[in-house]
Amino acid sequence: MPAAGAVRLVRDFVNTYEPQVGAEELTTPEQLREWLAQRQLLAPGARLRPADLATAVTVREGLRSVLRAHAGHPADPAALAALNQALAPVRPAFTADGYHLVAAGGPAFDRALAGLIDAVRQATEDGTWTRLKVCERDTCRWAFYDDSRNRVRRWCSMAGCGNHVKMRRAYTARTRRRQGEQDATPPAT
């Protein structure tokens, strides 16, 4: 089952930065505007400020920390605190059908941010939110959708990161075993 709809939006947002290679898609307010407009979260002509870009990066890295917790690792408390502070302009709005997250104020970026965070609400409600994780490989941290039956996938790619981690663990185990054998060998007389 591939990632769909709301959870894909959040995954793609988190993946606007690729830690493994330091590739950042959102380096200017204009790039952020384009990314949000392509996903119908913002009007194409909307003006964004450098502060909006800084908030978007804070939200992205806070979400990455949450997804790290989904993978069974501790979340960064500072990233979570910054995420919660950045989400101050977002509030629930109730309708006859339930509720949605909306901007408390009027700036275009706040509405886009509310739309992005509403995707988290939707993913939570449809049961896909906890399947969104980040790769266990320390240098990667790429967000992926865990479509495994038992929800225990740990790497963005078994062929890439999973293979690398497993090979490194095997090498470490062999090295320790050899070291143990050398330590156990009595000195030659």
Side-chain angles (χ1 to χ4, degrees):
M1 172 173 72
V7 77
R8 182 181 320 131
L9 174 65
V10 177
R11 181 201 62 198
D12 292 351
F13 180 66
V14 171
N15 286 341
T16 58
Y17 176 66
E18 187 175 353
Q20 188 159 309
V21 295
E24 173 65 77
E25 285 183 45
L26 307 176
T27 59
T28 66
E30 293 76 24
Q31 287 173 322
L32 175 61
R33 180 190 64 225
E34 183 179 321
W35 193 93
L36 293 169
Q38 287 173 352
R39 287 146 186 92
Q40 288 80 45
L41 293 171
L42 189 69
R47 290 182 46 116
L48 296 182
R49 304 166 298 140
D52 298 329
L53 176 60
T55 299
V57 169
T58 297
V59 169
R60 179 188 66 202
E61 295 312 311
L63 289 171
R64 188 183 312 276
S65 186
V66 171
L67 302 184
R68 183 168 158 73
H70 287 183
H73 303 284
D76 176 5
L80 293 179
L83 171 63
N84 287 324
Q85 185 175 359
L87 296 179
V90 177
R91 66 172 179 80
F94 287 87
T95 65
D97 300 347
Y99 75 97
H100 302 280
L101 298 173
V102 298
F109 176 71
D110 289 355
R111 290 190 303 274
L113 180 62
L116 181 64
I117 298 306
D118 194 56
V120 172
R121 177 199 59 82
Q122 292 171 40
T124 300
E125 289 179 0
D126 71 17
T128 58
W129 175 238
T130 57
R131 286 182 174 263
L132 193 57
K133 303 175 180 181
V134 292
C135 184
E136 186 174 302
R137 187 174 177 192
D138 288 335
T139 58
C140 182
R141 300 292 184 232
W142 188 252
F144 69 92
Y145 182 76
D146 180 357
D147 58 358
S148 68
R149 183 176 294 171
N150 56 2
R151 300 178 182 207
V152 295
R153 191 168 144 199
R154 298 166 49 182
W155 301 289
C156 61
S157 159
M158 189 57 212
C161 289
N163 187 49
H164 177 82
V165 170
K166 286 183 171 191
M167 292 298 287
R168 187 171 42 178
R169 286 180 187 158
Y171 174 78
T172 301
R174 278 193 311 273
T175 303
R176 285 184 183 152
R177 216 173 18 253
R178 284 186 195 135
Q179 186 65 31
E181 289 169 1
Q182 289 174 357
D183 292 344
T185 305
T189 53

